[in-house]
Amino acid sequence: MNLWQAFTQKRKRKSQELPEEPMPIKHHKIEPNNIFSYLDAVNTIKEQFNNEHDFRAREIEVFGEIPATLFYLGSLVDKESISKDVIQPLLLAPSEYIDKEKQIENISELIIKKCLYHAEVQIEDQIPSAVTDLLRGNTILLIEGLQNAIIINTKMVDKRSITQPDTEQVIRGPRDGFIESLETNIALLRDRIPITDFKVKPLEVGSLTKSSVCLFYIDGIANQSLIKDVEERLSKIDIDRILDAGYIEQFIQDNPRSPFPQVKNTERPDVAAGNLLEGRVVLMVDGSPFALIVPATFIMFYQSSEDYNERTNMMSVIRFTRLVSIVFSLITPSAYVAVISYHPELIPTAFSVAITSGRAGVPFPAVIEVFVMEAAMEILREATVRMPKQVGGALSIVGVLVVGQAAVMAGFVSPITVVVIAITTIGSFSTPAYSMATGFRMLRFPLLFMTGVLGIYGLVLGLIVIVNHLVSLRSFGVPYFSPISPMNWGGMRDAFIRAPLRWLIDRPEELHVSNKKRIENPKEIPTTNPLGPENQNSGSGGKSS
Amino acid sequence: MKQCKPLLLLMSVLLLSGCWDRMEVEERSTVLGLAVDIAEGEKEDPINHPDEIDIPTSGIGMIEVTAQLAVPGQIPLGPSQGGSQSGPQDSVWVVKAVGHTLAEAVNNLQQQLSSTIFLGHLKIFIISDEVATRGIDEIIDFMKRNPEVRRDAWLLVNGERADETLKVAPKLERIPALYLSNMLDNSIKMGKLPKIRVGMFYIALENEGQDGYLPYLTVKSKENIQISGVGYFRQNKLVGHTQPYQIAFLNGLIGHNPGGSTAVVKLSDEQTVQFQSTKRKSDYKVSLVAGKPHFEISVDVKGNITGKNDHRIDLNNTATISNIEEIAEKAFQKEMEKLIEETQKKESDILGLGEYVRSRMRSYWDQEVKTKEKWREIYKDLSVDVKVKVKIEGVGLKAK
Amino acid sequence: MREPRQITATQTMMMITNSMVGVAILALPRIAVELVNSGAILVTFIGLLLVFCSMVIIAKLGVRFPNESLIQSSKTIIGRPLAYLFGFFIFLFFILIVGFITREFAFILSSFLFPDTPMTVLVGVMLIVVAITTRNDITTISYIQFLYFPFIAIPILFLVLLSIPEIDMRLIRPFIGNQTNVFDFMKGSIMIAALPFAHIGMFVLTVLIPHTKNTKHAIRGSILGICISSLLLILIVFAVLGVFGINETKNPIWPVYVLTRMIQLPFELLERLDILFLIIWILSAFTTILSGYLIVIYNGSQLFQLRSHRVLSYIMLPIVFMVALYPKNVIQLYDFIRTIGLYGLFITMLYPILLLLVALIRKKKGSTANETM
């Protein structure tokens, strides 16, 4: 047993000294398969919920004769729907009903098919699953003499209204965004892809939160082995809670240690729909407005849905600007340090001599200065995100004044450093995807360290390590840097520039889709001049000239 | 990427021991200009070697080096805040040191300074006429060996003492050394000076059939420097310098573009016009005549007339223009041949005629010439014919 | 070799070009000019022609045994003991070569930019980054090299373009040099073919061929690779010779670097471009050392019959490190490179010819069963 093993063993023992897991939650372990009588069943359920604040047990008499009880959780249900669509029709006997004893066996069928107005009704014969349904907002109807319960879906929880997501704003494009309710989200997607091939597969993940997860894909396009693999990875998730789609992302991603995200998340339905049509798979969790898109490549994080809504030329330039700005935000502080501390001959002489005047009184070497300023900027950024809006405005003023101006005047930093930091920060804001921006933000610091020690050699080597890592990453088997690294000229049309829509007729090659072309032979759009002079009749009024 | 953690740790440990080459820009003494003179009879402090030992001096004697350093803090970033206008004298600092060799002198200079000497921004390197005449081998060696010295610096020869140049401080410029280097760079752009920065000078020096030349300066007053011609070398010794007006003809022979030199053409005893070239082209033809190389250089000059001294000269007339052209051609040809003869007397092949012979007449060179020394002998008596063609393209805005 | 075969012709080409346009390019003009002065361009051309022939032979050999590496196929051709012996020589030779070019590069950095940084650090950091990169499988490594190719090739073309205004045509002629004879050319071209980049460029093919998509890709890629890299090298020699002339090219140890110090952008945007070009040299050194190191550990893993080349990634690191630190100074380093390079020619040029001849005579062929798209 070597040193390393001894060390880890010691650590393991320590964790074992912690107290045991807290007592497991008290479930009434209701055995399935026991046939309870009506009263026993009612009492079991009442005991289970035992005076909870929102538990209701409403007793009625079906058709005026048969005793029955309705159970529901008042916080989760639409009470109006219960009264109008469930209780009211049950109180009046339909014409087919004659006598209690004769028709007790098929009374459930009678009720479901001929009485209840409600749209979603099911039959359940195991109490545990009935209780689970109750916890999901369903109403349980137990009727004396019946061996099963009738489950009615009356869930209504207050939902957020559909607004443009804060994290992905566009100037031109649809302004709806996913919300927490899975039903609404499915609606937003189905609305955009009303074809039969669009499949919505349900799954359940999370032992305690029992979150419903839906897998979306388009049957004739997405690759079958991809779908199977995603399902498998989801089924292997072993955790008690899924509180956000991000939890799932961390389980299904290929390389958890990489700073770069391998799963794209978005709050916009048009982004999700677009990726579905390319052959990707989308995952959504009930309770989270973020949709996960797999497999993800580097370029995807630099595309915004607005790119496709606007015209080609402008958007190509803007896309290019985005990429340039992210490169700047990564290397500007390091380049500054490299030039100032190691290679001042790179700057023109007059400027270099003037820079020394700016730096003459500064106590720290350039590396430390930039490090401190960058760290301050990061702290400021985090603070701005968490602050409530009222205080946030004041904070930015404080940030600018104190950190920028006063520090320069106090001789703590040189003015050029402040400019460099400003460029870097602004550059990092231009990334549409937050998870990617964070990755690059964090990478700035190791790069700064390497540059601080070895000048431009360190900078280049650091960049080499980062680039190599990017190229070697894979997301569900797709190389992260396609279409650049395994070169694919067709894919480049949508990478650095945005080619006109008429040219984007192939689906991305790296996804190995079943149906490569979007349209078989796109028709040419002829140019016509309906209001031009040549199309005017000669005798149509004296106005035409 | 999965198991590279221990290796990255190792790398961090390696690097944490220190950033060895980090030297902040304000910690360096930026030397903007260096001047080298002969220091007769001066003795230097025993900084590098004991006093008693008789160290042989360099081939040219004891060397005195003067450096112009930029003073950090005096030169403001951006437009100067109103009020404190620090004059040019305050923004630079001039230091001297003496040594047996140039490298030693520079080292002795370091003793007087608080920060490390940084030659990366060295723009001008001035040597005195005396130093250049005695031989510049050592200076060139120093400049080439030092990794910081760049090849776009200027090596200049000053007619008198070199350190005078560094004392010149024109009012309009913040940094005097930049004044000089900007002036020289600008002259190239204006077409008044051939491209003879240090890089090209090294090449000319090393080539088998060529000799180098450098700008020759004169200090006019406390605030101005004048480019007074070109100093030409034979191997590594200065052997003469031209007059200022001859630079124009040198430019013509080389075919340096854009053109920009002016020449005054004398039409008669009372009338002159001023001609400024805009484009030059030169063509060299070499052939063997009676076992010896014979050169025919044809120079095409295009230019404008920028001034006349007599209103009687009628520039609206094609006959006048052709007349002027003819006179100019004869005058230029005479001057160019005179220039070549001057260099031939001193055995300094600044046009690189030897290179033409070497490259185009391989067998002749391999058999007859072989070495640089032999070429110089042949060069002395080389027959060169110059033919000039002048074309006047414009006369300015005035019609007459 | 359980990795999928995915490398295409383009990737092969780029990997070979990257490997050849490495550190030696900085010193190449000086070596070319040494014996034949202005015949440098011609001698470079002849030297590269030799490399081309050798590469074609290696390609043909690899294509004959498409699923096996060189060492495995040599076992079939000349029997196990001899194959192991030569394989060991190859292994040893490339360890030396990789160590020496890393040291050469570290010298360049140290002379121009980092005089105070200890050599250990300069060499060590590069080797560590290379070792980490070789942990990936070969397909990924070829993707990586693919990515760097435009960053190396295009700036070199740019450099040549920017030097054109400074080129003096007199300095390039006569094409066959003054006072030279045929023997000078022969010696010169062999010296060029003995430079490390040539060895690495040729042998990286042995690593790639078992992984290319099919033989067509392999051959096409290798021919394209050597053509493009030869073009770049000849252009560089042309540019340096044209600007500097004979003696001035012989003077500095690394004339190409000095060239980058001389040229200027036409609009004086950035005054000093040599730092920017330094980034390019670092990239090209990295790709060359990566290829070299890959050859070492790949052949090593074949020799010792290991499952994959990754095992040796870190083990070879200290050995190469020590080799790199062995020479005392630049002069000694270049002496070593010259001597060992010349001996290495036996391994990289003659050995494959031998193998191919024996294979043809004994009619040995590799299994073509797996030769699918």
Side-chain angles (χ1 to χ4, degrees), chain B residues 21 147 150 206 352 358 362, chain C residues 117 170 177-178 247 261 272:
Chain B
D21 274 293
R150 316 190 59 87
E206 290 287 331
R358 189 189 60 78
R362 177 178 184 254
Chain C
T117 312
R170 298 177 292 179
N178 293 102
N247 291 333
R261 283 192 158 192
R272 282 87 194 248

Side-chain angles (χ1 to χ4, degrees), chain C residues 152-165 232 235-236 263 265-267 273 276-277:
Chain C
I152 298 176
I154 295 181
I156 291 187
L157 287 174
F158 205 54
L159 175 64
V160 173
L161 263 171
L162 283 177
S163 339
I164 287 183
L232 287 173
L235 278 176
I236 285 280
I263 60 179
L265 279 178
F267 6 86
L273 296 177
L276 295 181
F277 278 105

Side-chain angles (χ1 to χ4, degrees), chain A residues 112-410:
Chain A
I112 292 174
K113 292 204 177 147
K114 301 234 169 110
C115 279
L116 284 180
Y117 292 165
H118 201 276
E120 293 176 48
V121 179
Q122 276 176 328
I123 294 191
E124 183 61 63
D125 51 359
Q126 300 294 348
I127 293 191
S129 2
V131 169
T132 317
D133 286 337
L134 180 69
L135 287 164
R136 284 237 161 85
N138 296 301
T139 308
I140 306 180
L141 177 63
L142 283 179
I143 303 180
E144 189 187 61
L146 273 186
Q147 294 302 332
N148 42 28
I150 299 179
I151 313 284
I152 306 150
N153 186 353
T154 46
K155 180 168 182 180
M156 185 179 81
V157 184
D158 278 334
K159 294 190 270 218
R160 202 163 44 106
S161 61
I162 296 182
T163 53
Q164 178 163 221
D166 280 327
T167 52
E168 291 171 62
Q169 306 254 358
V170 295
I171 301 181
R172 178 166 170 181
R175 297 210 187 278
D176 52 356
F178 289 132
I179 60 173
E180 284 76 10
S181 152
L182 189 58
E183 297 280 315
T184 321
N185 295 340
I186 298 180
L188 286 170
L189 279 178
R190 277 228 190 260
D191 217 8
R192 285 180 159 80
I193 314 179
I195 52 175
T196 52
D197 287 335
F198 176 55
K199 304 282 185 218
V200 179
K201 262 202 186 165
L203 294 147
E204 190 175 286
V205 181
S207 54
L208 291 184
T209 56
K210 297 198 196 304
S211 316
S212 350
V213 175
C214 270
L215 194 67
F216 302 94
Y217 61 91
I218 298 191
D219 205 8
I221 301 178
N223 190 310
Q224 290 298 322
S225 37
L226 172 67
I227 302 169
K228 268 202 226 86
D229 191 53
V230 174
E231 278 176 25
E232 243 187 77
R233 291 194 198 196
L234 281 174
S235 64
K236 291 210 180 94
I237 299 181
D238 190 17
I239 192 178
D240 61 340
R241 69 211 182 283
I242 299 281
L243 295 174
D244 182 78
Y247 285 67
I248 295 189
E249 175 182 346
Q250 291 169 55
F251 278 100
I252 63 176
Q253 66 184 346
D254 285 82
N255 190 339
R257 294 204 196 90
S258 165
F260 299 105
Q262 294 125 58
V263 171
K264 181 166 161 95
N265 59 340
T266 176
E267 268 187 293
R268 297 185 61 94
D270 50 342
V271 171
N275 279 305
L276 276 171
L277 290 165
E278 280 191 344
R280 297 196 164 92
V281 171
V282 174
L283 286 165
M284 291 208 69
V285 178
D286 193 18
S288 166
F290 284 94
L292 300 176
I293 306 180
V294 296
T297 55
F298 184 75
I299 292 295
M300 278 173 68
F301 294 93
Y302 283 94
Q303 295 167 337
S304 134
S305 65
E306 188 178 3
D307 289 354
Y308 300 93
N309 301 338
E310 280 281 2
R311 300 166 60 236
T312 300
N313 302 338
M314 313 307 134
M315 281 301 136
S316 297
V317 171
I318 290 185
R319 206 177 248 188
F320 190 67
T321 317
R322 250 183 244 148
L323 286 169
V324 166
S325 72
I326 200 64
V327 168
F328 269 2
S329 85
L330 184 63
I331 63 174
T332 312
S334 306
Y336 171 68
V337 167
V339 168
I340 291 284
S341 297
Y342 287 84
H343 315 291
E345 56 258 25
L346 189 54
I347 343 174
T349 313
F351 194 50
S352 136
V353 173
I355 286 183
T356 56
S357 76
R359 292 190 55 84
V362 175
F364 300 116
V367 194
I368 310 284
E369 213 183 300
V370 172
F371 228 70
V372 168
M373 290 291 292
E374 283 282 350
M377 217 45 176
E378 289 294 319
I379 296 176
L380 206 66
R381 211 195 296 221
E382 269 307 300
T384 329
V385 171
R386 311 289 159 216
M387 278 279 152
K389 282 213 173 59
Q390 295 88 343
V391 190
L395 192 69
S396 57
I397 300 174
V398 165
V400 162
L401 283 182
V402 172
V403 177
Q405 187 71 11
V408 169
M409 288 180 60

Side-chain angles (χ1 to χ4, degrees), chain C residues 56-343:
Chain C
V56 167
I57 293 181
I58 295 186
K60 277 239 169 295
L61 191 64
V63 155
R64 211 172 162 79
F65 299 87
N67 296 330
E68 301 166 23
S69 72
L70 187 71
I71 296 196
Q72 285 177 334
S73 53
S74 60
K75 271 194 272 193
T76 343
I77 302 177
I78 54 177
R80 289 176 117 238
L82 272 181
Y84 275 130
L85 183 68
F86 280 112
F88 189 67
F89 279 145
I90 295 178
F91 185 58
L92 217 56
F93 173 64
F94 275 99
I95 294 179
L96 293 175
I97 290 281
V98 175
F100 289 152
I101 58 174
T102 317
R103 184 62 185 278
E104 183 182 359
F105 179 64
F107 263 128
I108 295 177
L109 283 181
S110 178
S111 316
F112 284 111
L113 293 175
F114 302 109
D116 290 329
T117 312
M119 202 56 80
T120 348
V121 172
L122 291 174
V123 168
V125 173
M126 172 63 89
L127 283 178
I128 289 179
V129 174
V130 167
I132 294 179
T133 318
T134 48
R135 296 274 318 166
N136 295 308
D137 56 334
I138 295 194
T139 320
T140 315
I141 295 182
S142 74
Y143 289 164
I144 294 176
Q145 296 256 18
F146 183 89
L147 192 64
Y148 289 129
F149 173 75
F151 291 103
I152 298 176
I154 295 181
I156 291 187
L157 287 174
F158 205 54
L159 175 64
V160 173
L161 263 171
L162 283 177
S163 339
I164 287 183
E166 310 281 338
I167 289 184
D168 189 347
M169 286 309 286
R170 298 177 292 179
L171 300 169
I172 304 189
R173 295 164 76 188
F175 283 125
I176 52 177
N178 293 102
Q179 297 156 14
T180 57
N181 53 37
V182 184
F183 287 117
D184 291 327
F185 272 94
M186 274 173 50
K187 265 198 290 185
S189 51
I190 292 189
M191 293 243 313
I192 290 189
L195 284 175
F197 69 82
H199 297 298
I200 293 183
M202 288 189 275
F203 250 64
V204 82
L205 205 54
T206 63
V207 175
L208 287 176
I209 288 192
H211 298 274
T212 47
K213 262 190 173 151
N214 55 33
T215 56
K216 235 186 353 165
H217 279 268
I219 295 194
R220 215 180 334 147
S222 52
I223 293 185
L224 273 176
I226 183 135
C227 285
I228 293 187
S229 51
S230 307
L231 184 70
L232 287 173
L233 292 172
I234 293 181
L235 278 176
I236 285 280
V237 174
F238 168 72
V240 170
L241 188 64
V243 174
F244 283 159
I246 306 165
N247 291 333
E248 187 64 13
T249 312
K250 284 197 216 167
N251 214 307
I253 308 184
W254 296 291
V256 181
Y257 193 81
V258 180
L259 179 68
T260 62
R261 283 192 158 192
M262 266 189 71
I263 60 179
Q264 276 183 322
L265 279 178
F267 6 86
E268 280 195 30
L269 188 61
L270 280 174
E271 283 193 353
R272 282 87 194 248
L273 296 177
D274 62 316
I275 304 286
L276 295 181
F277 278 105
L278 181 76
I279 302 180
I280 312 300
W281 305 140
I282 298 179
L283 276 179
S284 64
F286 169 73
T287 53
T288 310
I289 298 176
L290 178 67
S291 300
Y293 198 74
L294 191 62
I295 297 177
V296 168
I297 59 182
Y298 187 73
N299 280 317
S301 71
Q302 296 294 312
L303 206 60
F304 303 128
Q305 287 176 327
L306 298 166
R307 235 180 335 129
S308 134
H309 63 272
R310 280 193 271 246
V311 181
L312 286 181
S313 274
Y314 293 146
I315 301 181
M316 295 312 298
L317 188 58
I319 302 181
V320 177
F321 191 64
M322 287 193 298
V323 169
L325 291 180
Y326 178 70
K328 276 184 297 198
N329 53 42
V330 178
I331 323 286
Q332 202 181 41
L333 175 70
Y334 275 107
D335 276 342
F336 279 148
I337 291 184
R338 202 173 330 157
T339 332
I340 302 221
L342 280 172
Y343 284 127

